[in-house]
Amino acid sequence: MVGRETETAEIVQRLAADRPHSEVLLIEGDPGAGKSVLLDLAMKRTRRASHRVLRAVGSESEAHLAYAGLHQLLRPALGDLDGLPARQRSSLRIALGLAEHAEHAEPPDAMLVGLAVLTLVSDLAEPAPLLVVVDDAQWIDRASLDVLSFVARRMDSEPVTLLMGVRAADVLPGFDKGYERLEIGPLSGDAANRLLDEQPTRPTGRTRVRILREAAGNPLALVELARAAASRQPEGGGVEGPLPVTDRLEGIFARHVRHLPEATRSALLLLAATDAADAPVAARGLPEADDTTWVPAERAGLVRQDSAGISFRHPLVRSAVYHAASFEERRRAHLALAQLLGEEPDRRAWHLAAATVRPDEQVSAALLETAGRARRRGGHAAAAAALERAAQLSPRRADQARLLADAADMAVFTGQLGWVEHLAGEVRKRSDDPALITRAALATGQLMTMGPHHTAAFTLLARIADEAADARSPRLLDALAGAAVVRYYSGEESQRQRIEALLSHMPDSAAGGALRAWVLAVSDPTGAGVSLAPALPQLITEAKDDAGSLTALAIVAWLLDQTSLAAGTFDEAFGRWQALGPVPAGLGCAVGWAYLEQGRWAEARSVAAEIAVVASQAGLDHAEACARALEATAVALLGESADARGKAEQALALVDPLESRSVAVCARRALGLAAVADGDYDTAYAQFRSAFTEDGDPVHYHVSYTVLAELSAAAVRRGQREHAAELLGRSVRRLGTGMSARVSLLAERGRALLAEPEHAERHFQAALADEAGEQWPFERAQTRLDYGEWLRRQRRIAEARPLLIGALDTFQRLGARPWIERTKAELRAAGIEANSVAPSAITELSPQQQQITRLAARGLTNREIGEKLFLSPRTVGSHLYRVFPKLGITARSQLRDVVDGTLPAR
């Protein structure tokens, strides 16, 4: 490793046997920079220490096979699957295609597949540290990358090192943010000269100068150009020319191939066309490792022989060998492999496809079957790729269009809008069938709802709905469901009117009840609440076996301010709403808001963090902004005002406030709460006031009304009673009979704060009279605090004390520090010294630690907790080990006593 001493030391440091946590390192560099050599070095050191290694190498032709990379990685550990919990084992076996009758199995739960691999990795690292190596990660299939990303984010307490080699110009989904990178740049001039001096024939003079210039510090280029010069290749043969280094190197390798015996060239081509997972079977068609056929290739430096058999010295050699062959030669190689892989139908189908240029119904059908198997295993990208290729090889245009529409439906789950748009465009080119064209366009619209360009998304979905209405197509409701999400995000009133007009074309029926409720509630919760609220429990009961409908109805309950019902329904579908695919569902943050409003702040923060990571990886700026706004609100309530401001500003930077009014108002509300926490009521008033226009109309039809009480409180502090009272009155009149119980209670609190002393009490009492208010513990505690303050100022101390004590109890339980301090001050003024009362130790824990503590207190084992929270058992144990001292306990049996009374009733 000439000139790579620093990089070697960096990697060796990650392999230390006594490290207390996991390591994830991306090794980036151009082809030939030495990434693979560094990874090989790491594996050799690990094996010398008798520690276990799992390894996978990406392959371009294997990138469309769902979980192919994962299968390759876990192949040495398949015998350990029996130790996994039953649900995890089943999901992983289905994903890897190992389950009996896998073709009839339900698609595996994506989160359970990730959890199974996390648990397996944790188990494998139990006796000694584990090294996981993924080379050429840019060619690992997307389903496997999603699993690796899931594991990497959750193995913080595991003695596991994950090293990933990736080409510098490639983006690695799931690993493009938040991980350390080791960039393998060009060698220095001194190191490049030392490497040339190490060659069997050291270049000199003008040749040496040219090699140094052309190689530009790339180690592989230095070696191969020196080899070319030594073998007296013709002038210009790879040494000069305008092509990039990698193309020149491929040219050099290709010239080596041309001079080899025909039998050697045939063997090399078959090896080049073979994927890593094909190798055990394909080896039957190759000469044995000790066969003299390989000798010329070894002498030319194209292959190497080790205990694993014959392999190419570098991926560029494989590429050069493959592309130097004529298409007819490549076709024969793929056909030979397809014949050898008769018992591997997916790999056989792709080899047949690689050998086919004209339409072929049989090959198309084989790819269609491959797509079905990939879909059942949860490999959306692999299924979409197989469907697209099946369409290209189908002889009939109608079948081509249908397969492309199916591919678009699958590609939605990858989050790749450009791919979905391309597939939809191909459908339009091949079909005049309105139903098919509408379906493909709808796939594009559904994915666009999660991006920031809501005007364009709504225009597309409304056009689809128009066409569906004219054709009396059932797709009308699907289009309107997506359009309603856009309407919620944008807050645009004209969009509500358009949705209502289109919905009038849809007759009432039992079919599509949950979807119709969704459209009504999302686009106009005030108007829909009176009629929908009574029907919700029955709709939820009917949706028990449908995770998608159950989640949608939970969101509807949240929109209608039936927070307890919403949170309970989300609990019922726990984990399922996260497993609908790698793309967050529309209004996915609703579960976090429901938890936050119910006082389950730690869970709300966990939801926000998870969605933020997934959305960021998928490039879905709007979904990420929603999550950041939720995070900002939660930390503002905890009194972490600087962090809240940072997250809120991050949310605002990700969206256009005119296209995403819901996010803008949520983020401004978080900024207002952060200002209240700091006692800066001028800023608080400005932020809360921004939820309404100059004329007093809501900027967002749902979110704006949630700031009415906070706006009133800030207005009192800065002498703006009159303006706030006018705005409050206007809002109450606008909402009319459609006002939810929650907004009604907030309005009563606002009225009480703004009223003259002789009128305030009846509003305070009205704000506390409805027992439904217990659904929103923080808001109820605020009202108790305000009422207690008012009573104390009226010198009714005895009446004030119970209210203030009740408020303090809630704030303590939630960990709302600024409100704790304010309530303590009021209690002191009322003659009660509350300084000795500290926030519950539970609230000092991180959100994840709070969840783990709560579940452990219920008696769940580490493995059961890990399955619920998608963590490894070792990570759960590590968190509990750190939690015990913070809680002042020494045994697990003491957790229940600590937790009792510190969390809201479930």
Side-chain angles (χ1 to χ4, degrees), residues 367-564:
L367 285 167
L368 181 58
E369 291 177 5
T370 288
R373 284 186 289 270
R375 179 185 57 77
R376 287 190 291 273
R377 292 161 61 189
H380 303 296
L387 287 164
E388 184 177 16
R389 185 69 175 124
Q392 293 165 355
L393 294 177
S394 179
R396 289 178 291 276
R397 288 176 64 85
D399 290 337
Q400 292 171 13
R402 176 180 51 78
L403 290 168
L404 287 165
D406 291 343
D409 286 340
M410 280 292 104
V412 166
F413 292 100
T414 70
Q416 298 177 44
L417 180 59
W419 189 13
V420 177
E421 288 177 326
H422 166 74
L423 292 168
E426 292 298 308
V427 172
R428 288 194 299 273
K429 288 179 185 177
R430 289 168 172 77
S431 177
D432 297 324
D433 182 352
L436 213 53
I437 293 170
T438 295
R439 179 154 70 91
L442 186 57
T444 304
Q446 287 170 334
L447 191 52
M448 284 178 71
T449 64
M450 295 172 228
H453 304 300
H454 292 127
T455 300
F458 188 86
T459 299
L460 174 61
L461 288 163
R463 177 176 61 76
I464 295 170
D466 268 331
E467 293 168 355
D470 290 342
R472 298 187 176 279
S473 166
R475 295 285 175 186
L476 171 59
L477 207 49
D478 293 323
L480 289 180
V485 172
V486 178
R487 147 70 174 161
Y488 185 87
Y489 288 149
S490 72
E492 176 58 49
E493 177 62 15
S494 62
Q495 294 176 358
R496 178 190 64 79
Q497 296 167 357
R498 186 82 182 278
I499 289 170
E500 285 187 356
L502 287 163
L503 197 60
S504 66
H505 293 283
M506 191 79 186
D508 284 327
S509 68
L515 203 54
R516 189 182 186 91
W518 167 273
V519 173
L520 289 168
V522 173
S523 57
D524 184 19
T526 301
V530 174
S531 60
L532 267 183
L536 261 183
Q538 181 60 33
L539 287 171
I540 289 169
T541 299
E542 293 168 359
K544 290 293 187 207
D545 299 324
D546 185 338
S549 292
L550 200 62
T551 302
L553 290 168
I555 295 172
V556 169
W558 169 71
L559 287 164
L560 299 183
D561 283 332
Q562 296 195 23
T563 305
S564 292

Side-chain angles (χ1 to χ4, degrees), residues 882-901:
R882 296 195 294 270
V883 159
F884 280 17
K886 294 179 181 180
L887 299 180
I889 61 175
T890 57
R892 199 179 186 109
S893 59
Q894 296 172 281
L895 284 173
R896 183 177 294 277
D897 293 334
V898 173
V899 169
D900 278 349

Side-chain angles (χ1 to χ4, degrees), residues 247-309:
D247 288 344
R248 284 199 297 275
L249 289 175
E250 284 191 3
I252 290 171
F253 294 134
R255 279 190 293 280
H256 286 319
V257 172
R258 282 200 295 271
H259 298 296
L260 296 175
E262 183 177 351
T264 302
R265 284 191 285 114
S266 297
L268 283 173
L269 179 56
L270 196 63
L271 183 64
T274 299
D275 292 325
D278 298 339
V281 176
R284 296 201 298 264
L286 290 167
E288 296 291 333
D290 58 358
D291 194 292
T292 56
T293 302
W294 294 114
V295 174
E298 280 190 272
R299 286 176 180 163
L302 300 175
V303 298
R304 61 186 170 199
Q305 186 175 176
D306 54 29
S307 59

Side-chain angles (χ1 to χ4, degrees), residues 19-22 122 126 154-159 845-846 848-850 852-853 856 861-863 865-866 871-887 892 895:
R19 62 189 183 279
H21 54 77
S22 65
S122 178
E126 185 67 39
R154 289 167 174 82
M155 63 179 193
D156 58 326
S157 301
E158 309 295 335
L845 306 179
S846 72
Q848 193 171 75
Q849 287 173 339
Q850 289 187 42
I852 290 169
T853 300
T861 65
N862 288 3
R863 190 160 285 232
I865 294 170
L871 300 170
S872 74
R874 189 198 301 267
T875 296
V876 173
S878 176
H879 277 300
L880 287 172
Y881 177 80
R882 296 195 294 270
V883 159
F884 280 17
K886 294 179 181 180
L887 299 180
R892 199 179 186 109
L895 284 173

Side-chain angles (χ1 to χ4, degrees), residues 80-96:
D80 298 282
L81 297 190
D82 290 341
L84 295 173
R87 291 175 64 227
Q88 296 179 32
R89 181 174 64 249
S90 174
S91 287
L92 183 55
R93 288 181 63 82
I94 292 170
L96 297 178

Side-chain angles (χ1 to χ4, degrees), residues 799-816:
E799 295 173 76
R801 286 172 177 168
L803 289 165
L804 294 172
I805 291 170
L808 181 61
D809 179 65
T810 299
F811 293 142
Q812 294 277 75
R813 173 164 53 81
L814 298 175

Side-chain angles (χ1 to χ4, degrees), residues 173 300 591 663 699 702 727 799:
V591 62
V663 169
V699 170
H702 180 244
L727 191 150
E799 295 173 76

